[in-house]
């Protein structure tokens, strides 16, 4: 009898040790439901892209707050994040904290430089990672098996803009300048844009590097004007884009400026003023003032907080959508507590209808690029007005 009890005790101790060694979020391992799955957040609130990073992070946080009382696939969800000020070493420190201390099961990231720097660790740690970076490099599933792109890549955005230029330009071969910052984000689409332009009879006549925090782009614009481009494609955030547009107006340039997604949005308008009139922006996500089915849930939540939808902007919507896509992956996961399980859940997403907030998204085991579709909008009377349906190249 003593031998039997000893055997039972040993088995019980061994089971406890195995349970203590298991990974995943707190109280959310094995078959037990009712625990909490933690999602990490890497935010830029105070760094070089904080102008767009802050409303984006607010959108992510708002979505998780909107589902705080719900169980998703049997579990409560919690978003745990912090500001890394757009510094890659700080992103790496924050990532290690989220992984090791907070025990997150997936991450909502931010910048191109840090997302690309982390992707090998992300793959090794098997942590699904939806970033606000839309770098073409992240589409390589062999090198980035746990990264997912929730919007058209910067390169796809540039290709779609160039195709639109080709289809709508009159009067000979269209000429284009490229204006970007000297970061991984700024440079991300440049080579792909040049290649696409060459293949499609569009001439890239100039490139200018303008710092993210610049307050004067006069010298770069004067150099660009010597080449007399018909169009200039901007890959910046609001601050630098506003500087470029204001200086171009002062110089009397008649080049048509077109910005990729982080250059566009309501936050550009108060700092660019009337210099923004006629500016065209790539629109990957909806504006809050658009009458769309998907906007209702955001409006309902915002008003429940005593706030107004019209006080939010497109980047808030963008963050909300990224968080929503991540949670959809958890809903479809057989095991929503592990990175491998969440990745498999995300790979089941097919033609996800976002109610017009963004283009429908599809992932698969062979393709983590959710879409290549964008819209275009022009600033008219101080407001972005969308003038295309979703287009590609």
């Amino acid at each position: 009898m003593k031998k039997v009890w000893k055997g039972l005790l040993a088995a019980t101790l061994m089971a406890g040790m195995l349970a203590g060694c298991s990974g995943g979020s707190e109280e959310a391992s094995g078959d037990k439901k009712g625990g909490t799955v933690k999602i990490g957040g890497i935010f830029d609130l105070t760094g070089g892209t904080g102008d767009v990073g802050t409303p984006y992070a607010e959108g992510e946080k708002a979505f998780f707050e909107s589902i705080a009382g719900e169980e998703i696939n049997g579990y409560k969800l919690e978003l745990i994040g912090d500001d890394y000020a757009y510094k890659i070493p700080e992103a790496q420190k924050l990532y290690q904290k989220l992984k090791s201390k907070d025990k997150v099961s997936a991450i909502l990231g931010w910048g191109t430089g840090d997302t690309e720097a982390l992707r090998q660790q992300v793959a090794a740690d098997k942590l699904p990672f939806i970033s606000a970076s839309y770098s073409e490099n992240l589409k390589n599933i062999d090198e980035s098996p746990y990264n997912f792109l929730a919007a058209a890549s910067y390169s796809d955005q540039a290709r779609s803009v160039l195709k639109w230029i080709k289809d709508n330009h009159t009067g000979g071969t269209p000429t284009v300048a490229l204006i970007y910052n000297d970061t991984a984000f700024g440079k991300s689409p440049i080579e792909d844009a040049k290649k696409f332009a060459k293949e499609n009879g569009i001439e890239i006549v100039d490139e200018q590097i303008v710092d993210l925090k610049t307050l004067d782009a006069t010298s770069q614009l004067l150099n660009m004007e010597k080449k007399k481009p018909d169009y200039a494609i901007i890959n910046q955030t609001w601050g630098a884009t506003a500087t470029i547009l204001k200086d171009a107006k002062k110089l009397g340039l008649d080049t048509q400026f077109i910005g990729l997604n982080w250059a566009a949005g309501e936050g550009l308008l108060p700092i660019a003023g009337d210099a923004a009139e006629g500016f065209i922006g790539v629109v990957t996500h909806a504006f809050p003032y658009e009458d769309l089915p998907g906007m209702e849930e955001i409006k309902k939540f915002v008003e429940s907080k005593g706030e107004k939808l019209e006080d939010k902007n497109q980047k808030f919507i963008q963050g909300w959508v990224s968080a929503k896509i991540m949670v959809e992956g958890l809903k479809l996961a057989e095991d929503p507590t592990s990175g491998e399980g969440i990745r498999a859940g995300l790979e089941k997403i097919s033609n996800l209808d976002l109610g017009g907030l963004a283009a429908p998204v599809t992932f698969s085991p062979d393709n983590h690029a959710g879409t290549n579709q964008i819209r275009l909008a022009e600033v008219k009377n101080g407001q972005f007005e969308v003038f295309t349906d979703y287009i590609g190249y």
Side-chain angles (χ1 to χ4, degrees):
M1 190 66 176
K2 288 182 179 179
K3 288 183 179 180
V4 172
W5 279 110
K6 284 182 180 179
L8 288 170
L9 178 61
T12 302
L13 288 171
M14 180 60 71
M17 289 173 64
L18 289 172
C21 292
S22 63
S25 295
E26 184 181 0
E27 300 180 50
S29 58
D31 296 328
K32 181 183 176 183
K33 298 280 184 176
T36 299
V37 174
K38 298 175 183 177
I39 307 298
I42 297 176
F43 310 134
D44 181 17
L45 308 179
T46 60
T49 59
D51 53 349
V52 291
T54 298
Y56 181 93
E58 289 172 352
E60 291 178 311
K61 294 173 186 177
F63 180 81
F64 274 87
E65 189 177 348
S66 76
I67 60 170
E70 300 178 27
E71 281 195 353
I72 304 297
N73 203 351
Y75 297 92
K76 296 291 180 65
L77 302 184
E78 181 182 1
L79 177 64
I80 301 172
D82 207 348
D83 176 25
Y84 79 108
Y86 208 57
K87 297 176 181 176
I88 294 175
E90 293 304 313
Q92 291 171 325
K93 290 178 187 176
L94 179 54
Y95 172 82
Q96 291 300 327
K97 173 188 174 292
L98 292 169
K99 180 191 74 169
S100 302
K101 181 181 178 182
D102 298 315
K103 309 288 187 187
V104 301
S105 297
I107 291 179
L108 291 165
W110 177 248
T112 296
D114 37 283
T115 299
E116 291 185 346
L118 287 168
R119 61 181 175 165
Q120 289 184 336
Q121 291 172 263
V122 166
D125 296 330
K126 298 180 179 179
L127 285 177
F129 201 103
I130 293 179
S131 178
S133 168
Y134 308 134
S135 167
E136 186 87 355
N137 293 334
L138 300 173
K139 290 166 72 172
N140 186 329
I141 204 162
D142 292 329
E143 295 181 6
S144 309
Y146 276 80
N147 289 90
F148 291 80
L149 276 76
S153 73
Y154 301 130
S155 296
D156 284 343
Q157 293 178 35
R159 293 179 186 113
S160 294
V161 167
L162 289 166
K163 184 179 187 301
W164 178 84
I165 288 172
K166 181 181 179 182
D167 292 345
N168 292 275
H169 181 76
T170 57
T173 300
T175 56
V176 176
L178 303 173
I179 305 176
Y180 53 95
N181 54 77
D182 192 19
T183 69
F185 151 60
K187 295 182 288 188
S188 178
I190 301 306
E191 293 306 314
D192 288 330
K194 290 193 287 188
K195 180 181 178 184
F196 186 86
K198 185 176 181 180
E199 292 171 350
N200 288 273
I202 302 166
E203 190 176 354
I204 303 294
V205 295
D206 192 46
E207 296 178 49
Q208 294 294 330
I209 294 177
V210 174
D211 189 78
L212 270 168
K213 291 289 192 178
T214 192
L215 298 176
D216 185 355
T218 306
S219 61
Q220 291 97 325
L221 290 171
L222 285 171
N223 286 333
M224 183 193 81
E225 177 59 9
K226 295 174 184 177
K227 305 296 178 63
K228 300 190 182 302
D230 298 311
Y231 309 87
I233 297 175
I234 301 173
N235 193 31
Q236 300 277 8
T237 61
W238 292 333
T241 302
T243 298
I244 291 164
L245 295 179
K246 288 189 290 186
D247 288 348
K249 183 176 174 64
K250 289 178 186 176
L251 294 170
L253 306 188
D254 58 5
T255 296
Q256 173 64 63
F257 290 91
I258 305 175
L260 302 190
N261 77 285
W262 293 114
E266 302 93 326
L268 171 71
L269 303 177
I271 48 179
D274 60 4
E277 286 295 309
F279 172 71
I280 293 174
V282 166
V283 179
T284 55
H285 294 74
F287 294 99
Y289 48 79
E290 293 188 78
D291 184 14
L292 299 164
M295 205 65 70
E296 282 304 310
E297 66 176 358
I298 302 178
K299 181 180 179 182
K300 183 178 179 181
F301 170 76
V302 168
E303 290 180 349
S304 76
K305 305 295 291 182
E307 301 172 356
K308 296 179 180 179
L309 182 61
E310 53 262 37
D311 293 332
K312 304 301 179 183
N313 63 44
Q314 186 212 25
K315 304 315 175 194
F316 179 93
I317 305 298
Q318 202 159 339
W320 178 285
V321 168
S322 294
K324 186 179 182 71
I325 292 170
M326 177 67 84
V327 171
E328 187 66 21
L330 277 109
K331 289 180 181 178
L332 297 174
E334 291 184 16
D335 177 9
T337 71
S338 73
E340 289 172 289
I342 297 170
R343 172 186 169 177
L346 286 165
E347 290 173 345
K348 292 178 184 176
I349 292 176
S350 178
N351 202 33
L352 176 63
D353 183 359
L354 294 161
L357 298 178
V361 169
T362 297
F363 299 124
S364 72
D366 300 320
N367 185 4
H368 289 181
T371 181
N372 67 1
Q373 301 290 294
I374 65 162
R375 296 184 295 165
L376 294 175
E378 182 178 358
V379 179
K380 292 183 177 181
N381 300 316
Q383 181 170 285
F384 278 94
E385 294 186 9
V386 178
F387 65 88
T388 72
D389 291 327
Y390 280 102
I391 59 174
Y393 58 90

